[in-house]
Amino acid sequence: MKLFESTHNYNYEWSLVSAANWQKYPNDNSPHVQHVDVLNRTLDPETGILTTERLITVSQNMPTIIKKILGTGSTQYVREISIIDSKKKTLTMHSINLTMSNLLSCNETIVYSEHPQDRFKTQFSQHATITAGNLVSRWGNVLEEFSLKRFKQNAAVGREGFTKVLERFAKMAEEAAQSKATH
């Protein structure tokens, strides 16, 4: 099992960051994300918690030898469950790969929360575990190391892409607020 952890602070309020999250894809930094489909969405009338289940279709550019070993193609599927608690100001996203999960499992949790010392900032934390299945025990460590390296690269590129989306989203929100104020 390999572990990955990352934290970051965004200089934007939680409400803006959590809203921009829904505009994250497509973006130029994440061309591997082909589709994001909403499978289910529920709002708890008592708590106000919004839960969304999505299917994310990605194209992984893997070396041919890895595809042959795993017996797979480039298209992969990920299930994501997002939970928004606007009272606590948290957006928690849990994702797991569906494709080849018996060979390699990647469990990821991302949390966006209001910064405890500055309500105009948002804390981001990302935790992932990558575990090779028993069927690839001889290659397990190699597969986990390769996947961890790829995950780290994708996480950095993904954060950069989301930052661009967030900046664009913040600019649109600011322009809308100025337009509203002048009319």
Side-chain angles (χ1 to χ4, degrees):
M1 177 191 306
K2 302 294 178 190
L3 302 174
F4 174 82
E5 293 187 341
S6 175
T7 58
H8 182 73
N9 288 323
Y10 289 102
N11 292 320
Y12 298 98
E13 292 181 49
W14 176 85
S15 59
L16 186 75
V17 173
S18 61
N21 178 67
W22 302 108
Q23 303 299 318
K24 187 174 181 178
Y25 302 113
N27 78 64
D28 293 339
N29 288 63
S30 299
H32 65 288
V33 177
Q34 297 175 335
H35 303 284
V36 179
D37 299 300
V38 175
L39 302 176
N40 190 31
R41 183 171 279 152
T42 57
L43 178 64
D44 186 315
E46 292 181 24
T47 63
I49 292 176
L50 176 67
T51 303
T52 303
E53 179 181 13
R54 303 192 304 176
L55 179 67
I56 302 170
T57 305
V58 297
S59 177
Q60 292 292 351
N61 185 15
M62 290 186 266
T64 304
I65 187 71
I66 299 289
K67 286 193 262 189
K68 285 185 178 189
I69 290 170
L70 299 177
T72 187
S74 297
T75 301
Q76 310 287 312
Y77 299 96
V78 176
R79 178 180 183 232
E80 176 192 87
I81 305 282
S82 300
I83 302 164
I84 298 177
D85 187 334
S86 58
K87 291 176 185 167
K88 292 182 180 177
K89 295 193 178 182
T90 59
L91 164 57
T92 304
M93 299 165 18
H94 301 283
S95 63
I96 187 165
N97 60 302
L98 299 176
T99 308
M100 302 183 310
S101 58
N102 60 325
L103 300 176
L104 183 72
S105 176
C106 180
N107 286 288
E108 178 186 29
T109 300
I110 291 175
V111 178
Y112 294 95
S113 57
E114 184 176 76
H115 194 285
Q117 283 85 40
D118 186 347
R119 67 181 187 89
F120 297 106
K121 291 183 178 183
T122 301
Q123 287 185 328
F124 165 85
S125 67
Q126 181 179 28
H127 304 276
T129 59
I130 298 170
T131 309
N134 291 335
L135 292 175
V136 291
S137 59
R138 288 182 51 193
W139 296 94
N141 195 47
V142 172
L143 187 57
E144 287 174 351
E145 282 294 333
F146 170 81
S147 299
L148 179 62
K149 182 179 176 185
R150 177 63 59 92
F151 189 92
K152 286 178 181 180
Q153 292 168 344
N154 286 346
V157 170
R159 188 171 52 245
E160 182 181 318
F162 181 61
T163 298
K164 290 178 183 177
V165 169
L166 184 55
E167 288 167 354
R168 188 175 66 240
F169 195 80
K171 184 178 179 183
M172 289 177 2
E174 186 178 309
E175 289 170 356
Q178 288 175 351
S179 176
K180 198 175 194 180
T182 60
H183 288 94

